[in-house]
Amino acid sequence: MTAEPPKLPELADGDFYYQDLGGGRFRSTIHAQGAWNAHEQHMAPASGLLADRLDRHEPRDDMRMARLSYEILGLIPGGEFDVVTTTLRPGRTIELLQAELVAAGRVAIRVTAWRMITSDTSAVAAVEDGMIPSPDECKPYDGASVWPGGYIRSLEMRVAEGHRPGAGKVWLRTDHPLTDGNDSTDTARLMGLVDTANGIAARVPPGKDSYAFPNLDLQIHMYRRPEGEWLGLDNAVSFGADGIGLTSTVLHDLSGPFGRAEQILTLRKS
C-alpha cells in the first residue's frame, strides 16, 4: 500500500509569517512554509520568531544578543505552536537565554543566546571580513525556480556575479513582517532570513535523483548589531565524503559585514 501524504496544517491567513495568538502561542501562514515538505515550516522565519521572543524576554537597554545557537530537533510542523522563553544564566554583564518552539507535543527547535553588555570600543573597532557588492550592483534572482514552498516565494533575492554551485553572494529581503504585530527589531527580522544560506548556492540541485542536505543546526555570531531590511550572504558550501557537509556564511547588512553563520548538514541520497 502507498502511504498517504501528511495532512496539510491549518494555517493563518495574512501578509505576515506568524499570527500571534497570545500567551506565547502562534500560528504560521503560508509564507513560513518549508522547502523540503509542504506540511512543515521553514527554519528561517521560525528562527526569526525565536529571536524576536528572546529580544522581548526581560530586555535590557545596555545589552544585546551576540550569539544564537539553534538546534533543529526534528521536522517543524506548520500551524499552531508555542514558544517558551527562559533565562538559563542571569548576570550583570553576560546572560544566557533559551527559547523553545513546541509543536505537536514536542520541542522542534531549541535556541540559546548569549546576551552581552555593550560599551564604547570604537577606538579599536576593526573587521577582517571583506565587503560584497551592494544589492543595486546585483541581478534579480528567482529562488523559487530552485526551491518550492511559501517561504522562498516570500523573498526578494539578488545575486552577485560569479555565483556558482558551492559558493555565491546573495542579498535577501522580505515585505512580510515576522508577526501580525509588525513590531520586531531589525535583528530579529534579519535573523529570520539567515537560514536561507543553506540553499542559495547548493552544490547539487535539490530533488529526485540527487541529494537532500538539510541542516541540523544554525550557529550565528554577531560582532555588530545589524540594521535595515537587506541581509547579504557571502556563502560557501562544503560536502565531506562521509555524508556530512557544512555551509559557512559571512553575514552583511548595507553597512558591511556584521557576523558569521554556520550550518552542519546531513547528506542523503534522494
Side-chain angles (χ1 to χ4, degrees):
M1 295 178 62
T2 302
E4 292 186 6
K7 183 180 179 181
L8 295 180
E10 182 178 344
L11 302 177
D13 184 24
D15 197 26
F16 42 82
Y17 290 105
Y18 298 101
Q19 179 186 12
D20 188 344
L21 302 176
R25 192 158 184 82
F26 297 87
R27 182 186 289 116
S28 63
T29 69
I30 188 63
H31 306 301
Q33 184 185 45
W36 296 110
N37 295 289
H39 57 284
E40 70 177 338
Q41 295 181 49
H42 197 287
M43 175 61 181
S47 57
L49 180 64
L50 292 175
D52 176 80
R53 295 296 97 186
L54 291 170
D55 259 347
R56 299 172 190 271
H57 180 69
E58 300 175 355
R60 287 177 51 180
D61 292 338
D62 61 341
M63 303 185 93
R64 73 165 176 89
M65 289 188 293
R67 191 223 63 181
L68 291 148
S69 179
Y70 295 87
E71 309 297 342
I72 306 170
L73 303 179
L75 184 144
I76 310 165
E80 290 194 24
F81 60 92
D82 295 289
V83 176
V84 180
T85 56
T86 55
T87 300
L88 297 179
R89 190 269 196 194
R92 185 175 60 85
T93 62
I94 299 172
E95 295 182 338
L96 184 63
L97 312 179
Q98 177 179 278
E100 294 181 326
L101 189 156
V102 183
R106 63 173 181 82
V107 178
I109 308 170
R110 179 178 293 122
V111 56
T112 57
W114 282 111
R115 188 160 63 185
M116 303 168 65
I117 199 164
T118 58
S119 63
D120 183 3
T121 53
S122 56
V124 294
V127 175
E128 297 295 335
D129 293 322
M131 299 287 287
I132 63 174
S134 72
D136 291 341
E137 301 173 87
C138 298
K139 298 178 181 179
Y141 176 65
D142 182 13
S145 66
V146 180
W147 291 97
Y151 168 69
I152 298 300
R153 293 194 300 270
S154 77
L155 302 176
E156 177 185 354
M157 307 176 75
R158 301 194 185 172
V159 62
E161 291 290 337
H163 190 274
R164 61 173 176 79
K169 299 175 177 66
V170 172
W171 287 93
L172 315 171
R173 69 176 174 182
T174 179
D175 290 333
H176 306 295
L178 276 174
T179 73
D180 51 346
N182 194 17
D183 58 353
S184 302
T185 64
D186 287 355
T187 296
R189 288 193 299 270
L190 292 176
M191 293 305 97
L193 299 172
V194 173
D195 188 74
T196 320
N198 189 38
I200 64 166
R203 297 205 66 86
V204 295
K208 188 177 179 181
D209 299 324
S210 181
Y211 282 85
F213 40 92
N215 52 303
L216 306 184
D217 74 341
L218 173 62
Q219 311 293 326
I220 301 171
H221 294 80
M222 296 178 285
Y223 46 75
R224 174 172 66 79
R225 189 195 304 271
E227 298 179 341
E229 61 178 356
W230 281 105
L231 176 70
L233 304 171
D234 187 355
N235 183 252
V237 183
S238 301
F239 283 0
D242 61 351
I244 298 172
L246 179 69
T247 296
S248 302
T249 309
V250 179
L251 305 173
H252 296 251
D253 62 14
L254 292 182
S255 297
F258 67 83
R260 290 173 175 258
E262 302 281 340
Q263 297 157 288
I264 200 70
L265 316 178
T266 175
L267 309 181
R268 303 168 182 173
K269 187 73 174 176
S270 59

